[in-house]
Amino acid sequence: AQSVTQPDIHITVSEGASLELRCNYSYGATPYLFWYVQSPGQGLQLLLKYFSGDTLVQGIKGFEAEFKRSQSSFNLRKPSVHWSDAAEYFCAVGVNTGTASKLTFGTGTRLQVTL
Amino acid sequence: DGGITQSPKYLFRKEGQNVTLSCEQNLNHDAMYWYRQDPGQGLRLIYYSQIVNDFQKGDIAEGYSVSREKKESFPLTVTSAQKNPTAFYLCASSIRGYRRTEAFFGQGTRLTVV
């Protein structure tokens, strides 16, 4: 069965510092991967997605992610974090279930930004 | 603006009551989903629907029911059989049938049992 692992529950970084959030997936076929961000009490917003092609994908708000098939990873990065990036981040894999499709999510990483 | 509207934002339920959470979308998406979010557990799929008048159970469907009578609406009923209903509920929609398609989310409903 498919699964997504986000090993870091909580990360704290200083404003201006670089960020990397880890995501590992398990899926038998070609993975379709997503990163979402959630502010407290809000819905999820898509940051970026990987379907095929270039393994380094660019997203909104200055985020990027690199797909590494050999490591089954899809880590999210940002060169310089802003205080407004404080939120919870979710990695997800798109899964087929017969004629349907759905997302399987990791448990999330909460990012705290110190000034 | 196109999007997904969930209502109410906050909902309180007494023990033994059924409550219904509303989800409406104007994105013309065929597929709609309900997720439950608990601290430290990520999002877990309750039910999903790919077309009108059809829906499937997700990973944690027990104690919940849904209907899909209209393309734009996918209400979720939390029944009295759901023993631990306090959670944040998120509705989503997407283009039907393609796992590479991103899902768009509503702003959520926080349900609390009192």
Side-chain angles (χ1 to χ4, degrees), chain B residues 29 40 63 79 93:
Chain B
H29 286 166
T79 74
S93 71

Side-chain angles (χ1 to χ4, degrees), chain B residues 63-78:
Chain B
Y64 299 97
S65 65
V66 293
S67 62
R68 187 80 187 279
E69 297 177 358
K70 298 186 295 182
K71 184 176 183 178
E72 60 270 23
S73 178
F74 190 42
L76 173 74
T77 296
V78 184

Side-chain angles (χ1 to χ4, degrees), chain B residues 12-56:
Chain B
F12 298 90
R13 191 194 92 169
K14 293 183 179 179
E15 296 277 356
Q17 279 186 337
N18 293 353
V19 291
T20 297
L21 285 59
S22 171
C23 178
E24 303 276 334
Q25 55 98 359
N26 60 4
L27 300 168
N28 200 33
H29 286 166
D30 287 301
M32 297 188 74
Y33 310 81
W34 274 106
Y35 288 89
R36 170 178 171 144
Q37 185 177 18
D38 297 281
Q41 296 195 47
L43 280 73
R44 293 180 291 168
L45 184 64
I46 304 173
Y47 269 97
Y48 58 102
S49 168
Q50 299 291 303
I51 56 173
V52 174
N53 292 323
D54 187 46
F55 48 82
Q56 292 80 38

Side-chain angles (χ1 to χ4, degrees), chain A residues 69-92:
Chain A
R69 184 184 298 275
S70 62
Q71 298 178 20
S72 298
S73 69
F74 188 54
N75 294 348
L76 182 71
R77 302 194 296 244
K78 187 170 184 178
S80 177
V81 170
H82 188 263
W83 64 266
S84 60
D85 293 324
E88 189 152 23
Y89 292 79
F90 292 94
C91 182

